Amino acid sequence: MRLLLVHADHMEYEAKKKTRFAEKIDNAMKRKYLEEVLVVFTAVEDGDDDSTVEQAVREITDVAEKIGAERILLYPYAHLSPDLAPPETAVEILKKIESSIEGFEVHRAPFGWYKAFNISCKGHPLSELSKTITPVKESKALQAEKKAVSHWYILTPDGNLVDVDKFDFSGFENLKKFADYEISKSRVVDRTPPHVELMQRLEIADYEDASDPGNLRYYPKGRLIKSLLERYVVEKCVEYGAMEVETPIMYSQQHETLRRYLDRFPARQYIIEGKRKLFLRFAACFGQFLMTHDMVLPYRALPIKLVELTKYSFRKEQRGELVGLRRLRAFTMPDMHTICRDMKQAMDEFQMQYRLSMEVLDTIGIPSESYEVAIRMTEDFYRENRDFIQELVNIIKKPVLIEMWDSRFFYFVLKFEFNFIDALGKASALSTVQIDVENAERYGISFIDESGQEKRPVILHCSLSGAIERCIYALLEKAHMDTEKGNLPSFPLWLSPIQVRIIPVSGKYLKFAEDLMKKLGGFRVDLDDRNETLGKKIRDAGREWIPYVVVVGEEEERTGLLTVTVRKESTVKNQKKVKMTVEELKQRIQKETEGRPSALLPLPPYLSKRPRFR
RNA sequence: GCCUCGGUGGCUUAGUGGUAUAGCGGCUGACUUGUAAUCAGCAGGUCGGGGGUUCAAAUCCCCCCCGAGGCUCCA
């Protein structure tokens, strides 16, 4: 629905001649002269419904109150929209708006007549406003979710399935926070999340006002961390047997299969208007399922796995839901799909991916103490697979939150998530795997079994690490929590943008420092050659969380032994300084970063030549 | 999307109707340093944007944009 609101000194109209769609009217409606009136030119559009009426009434009342009008004239005005509703619907909706506005003298001009009008607009800032109202559509999935009943339990490693209200949470404070968060949806937070300040101060990421909210910019250090995480997770998937692919980021809304798929998801899409209406993907499912549809899948090839790093996935989350790196509108997610011949194979893969997720998060620097596990499934699934679920709990070796639905309303029968609990007690899902029993049918994906028959596979959706940005959020929040415990915050060495900083005590030792930098080639080493005091350089290195700081001067030049400050073993008060040879330092870093992706220094190596990003 | 609070040089910030503060950072110079901020000088601002009220607006009013918190949502 399109509205054009005009605050007028007076408005006069006269119905002249009927069109095909003219409604029957009495003489009083035929012509009117109104003074001090808010005229609402209205075009009812295709798809408008009761939710549109409700919003329109709210908007109109709102404006009328603000400008202090007592009189409102609803004036049908088709020219505001190229996409009009059928006339009968339009009249019906106009009448509904008319009868729903309260507290004002409401008039309505007749629909379907050629009308002459004469208006005198007041011309103050609020005297002319236009509004577009779109109907609030609720997807089938959301409607179904409302109907479904959830039951919540805690399942312990010793096999007790306890009603969540009866569980003794002592010793499991984070699980308690998570359960409260999930079930009662209680949010007791009154400050900005710590990671937002950190991501800015450490020059990792930042808001970009010129874009849509939730679309961030990443500075070199942030880009490096992201890049390493991205490579690591994709490599893990490939190692596990997945084939990396790439699919388009935008799709046609008219595509029949996709349309039915969208209706199963409560996600809000970014829409690109044009000759054909496109939407931006919110995961890699679209591209990969369309690809899989065209593949020839002999049963011997199963399970087959496709993985794609979605850069980006787009979800037009509500404005108030967006926070720092925790919840974005554009994010990077490794999305892997596993095509399985049957439920048995799917469950085997599910368990492998569960273990793999634990390993991946641990390597990233998020050990299992930092997250809580949720397992969600239909009651039927649990009844038939108790031992399987128990095994999952035993693998993680701690109690798990269980949600059971009395009916299946999503496309999956089973899923798990690892939920990070942040410094403010908020929970965010990282790794997740789902067993999908619906989309093979929807996308027409099939394989040929031993007897030559076509069959529908079971499909696993897996994000080993969850969104990459969210991993960085978790690392920053964790670092903040470390600080609160009195420890020095840090990144794992393999993710540190700068691994070693060399600080010459004075310009005299610059040459020695440069030679040392060359000897440490292969690692991310930089050199603080600024004309600053040693104290200042040390402080700056500390504020940048640099894991190894090497101060070189007369002594080092003479003995050839380095004085290395090891951050991991230091405290704020007490810096741990270790004497070692260049070779020993190299070996130490080598060992600590073994088997993880490496990368070059993302910034100029000389600090004197380095810009600041904020 | 709704409600509440906020937005002042690159960053942090003082300023409730009367010529816009300070620190950090930047630039210039001095100092050549042994483990968490060396000293001095200089430059840098359409006070988020637009409109209004007023002799006068960062300050009061309206609309919009951006951020945070809440509601909601979270594949």
Side-chain angles (χ1 to χ4, degrees), chain A residues 181 195 321 323-328 422 426-428 470 473:
Chain A
Y181 193 85
H195 83 273
E321 301 169 38
V323 206
L325 287 168
R326 174 169 181 257
R327 200 156 170 81
L328 296 160
D422 72 17
K426 293 211 172 201
S428 301
R470 208 171 252 191
Y473 140 84

Side-chain angles (χ1 to χ4, degrees), chain A residues 196-229:
Chain A
V196 172
E197 197 190 314
L198 287 172
M199 77 181 193
Q200 293 173 326
R201 211 208 79 218
L202 295 172
E203 296 189 341
I204 289 171
D206 216 330
Y207 297 115
E208 176 52 78
D209 290 0
S211 182
D212 196 45
N215 289 255
L216 268 50
R217 56 158 78 143
Y218 298 87
Y219 299 122
K221 287 183 190 174
R223 177 64 214 130
L224 176 91
I225 296 172
K226 251 192 104 198
S227 159
L228 287 166
L229 288 170

Side-chain angles (χ1 to χ4, degrees), chain A residues 155 161 381-391:
Chain A
L155 183 55
L161 185 70
F381 188 91
Y382 181 70
R383 212 170 300 124
E384 288 154 27
N385 302 286
R386 271 169 214 255
D387 292 346
F388 176 77
I389 301 298
Q390 185 63 49
E391 179 64 17

Side-chain angles (χ1 to χ4, degrees), chain A residues 145-368:
Chain A
E145 186 179 3
K146 281 189 182 149
K147 269 183 239 155
V149 180
S150 283
H151 297 286
W152 300 89
Y153 307 93
I154 301 291
L155 183 55
T156 65
D158 46 20
N160 288 323
L161 185 70
V162 187
D163 205 279
V164 85
D165 299 327
K166 297 187 181 124
F167 186 74
D168 176 11
F169 280 100
S170 39
F172 304 105
E173 278 67 33
N174 268 352
L175 182 61
K176 168 110 183 78
K177 280 185 203 162
F178 175 50
D180 286 349
Y181 193 85
E182 281 294 313
I183 301 160
S184 67
K185 312 271 186 190
S186 85
R187 316 286 141 99
V188 233
V189 174
D190 53 354
R191 55 197 174 106
T192 299
H195 83 273
V196 172
E197 197 190 314
L198 287 172
M199 77 181 193
Q200 293 173 326
R201 211 208 79 218
L202 295 172
E203 296 189 341
I204 289 171
D206 216 330
Y207 297 115
E208 176 52 78
D209 290 0
S211 182
D212 196 45
N215 289 255
L216 268 50
R217 56 158 78 143
Y218 298 87
Y219 299 122
K221 287 183 190 174
R223 177 64 214 130
L224 176 91
I225 296 172
K226 251 192 104 198
S227 159
L228 287 166
L229 288 170
E230 289 165 8
R231 281 166 47 203
Y232 169 68
V233 179
V234 172
E235 272 168 28
K236 269 288 162 195
C237 291
V238 173
E239 208 179 280
Y240 165 67
M243 299 175 271
E244 189 182 358
V245 296
E246 184 172 324
T247 60
I249 66 165
M250 58 181 82
Y251 295 89
S252 164
Q253 270 193 323
Q254 273 83 39
H255 192 281
E256 191 48 33
T257 308
L258 298 182
R259 235 177 46 192
R260 278 182 286 132
Y261 186 45
L262 286 176
D263 199 38
R264 283 295 269 158
F265 288 81
R268 294 173 182 82
Q269 280 89 47
Y270 271 105
I271 306 293
I272 299 174
E273 296 278 2
K275 210 170 159 190
R276 73 198 297 212
K277 248 191 181 178
L278 300 167
F279 67 93
L280 298 180
R281 69 174 176 196
F282 47 82
C285 308
F286 309 100
Q288 289 187 24
F289 289 168
L290 293 167
M291 187 185 279
T292 313
H293 166 86
D294 297 341
M295 287 166 72
V296 179
L297 296 172
Y299 72 94
R300 273 184 245 276
L302 303 185
I304 70 129
K305 298 148 199 164
L306 298 179
V307 66
E308 175 169 6
L309 187 80
T310 63
K311 194 171 153 187
Y312 293 103
S313 283
F314 294 94
R315 302 184 188 185
K316 199 149 174 103
E317 309 290 9
Q318 298 188 80
R319 187 63 190 73
E321 301 169 38
L322 306 168
V323 206
L325 287 168
R326 174 169 181 257
R327 200 156 170 81
L328 296 160
R329 281 186 176 168
F331 59 95
T332 311
M333 181 178 65
D335 201 359
M336 176 167 67
H337 293 95
T338 309
I339 315 295
C340 304
R341 43 189 308 195
D342 51 26
M343 188 52 82
K344 164 83 177 59
Q345 194 173 58
M347 283 161 67
D348 287 347
E349 294 295 322
F350 185 94
Q351 200 197 80
M352 277 188 253
Q353 292 174 16
Y354 180 90
R355 287 179 192 274
L356 205 52
S357 295
M358 286 172 66
E359 185 195 327
V360 163
L361 288 190
D362 191 63
T363 304
I364 289 174
I366 308 164
S368 63

Side-chain angles (χ1 to χ4, degrees), chain A residues 519-586:
Chain A
K519 284 184 196 150
L520 289 169
F523 304 115
R524 294 190 290 275
V525 188
D526 65 7
L527 172 54
D528 195 343
D529 61 332
R530 294 173 305 166
N531 186 12
E532 297 290 350
T533 56
L534 180 62
K536 169 106 173 221
K537 293 183 188 179
I538 296 291
R539 179 167 195 270
D540 287 347
R543 281 173 54 83
E544 279 187 77
W545 301 3
I546 292 171
Y548 294 106
V549 178
V550 187
V551 175
V552 296
E554 188 274 331
E555 193 188 320
E556 286 71 24
E557 197 166 49
R558 183 166 41 81
T559 63
L561 268 186
L562 303 177
T563 314
V564 182
T565 306
V566 183
R567 186 176 178 83
K568 248 173 59 181
E569 296 168 19
S570 301
T571 61
V572 191
K573 291 253 156 66
N574 201 346
Q575 298 192 36
K576 169 89 178 208
K577 280 167 263 180
V578 185
K579 296 271 182 198
M580 60 178 89
T581 62
V582 180
E583 221 28 65
E584 279 165 346
L585 177 59
K586 281 170 83 169

Side-chain angles (χ1 to χ4, degrees), chain A residues 440-473:
Chain A
E441 180 74 34
R442 177 169 300 122
Y443 281 82
I445 297 168
S446 56
F447 69 93
I448 310 298
D449 76 358
E450 296 93 319
S451 57
Q453 291 221 314
E454 225 181 331
K455 284 214 168 137
R456 294 292 179 214
V458 176
I459 302 174
L460 263 55
H461 301 239
C462 165
S463 188
L464 268 188
S465 63
I468 301 293
E469 293 82 355
R470 208 171 252 191
C471 291
I472 301 176
Y473 140 84

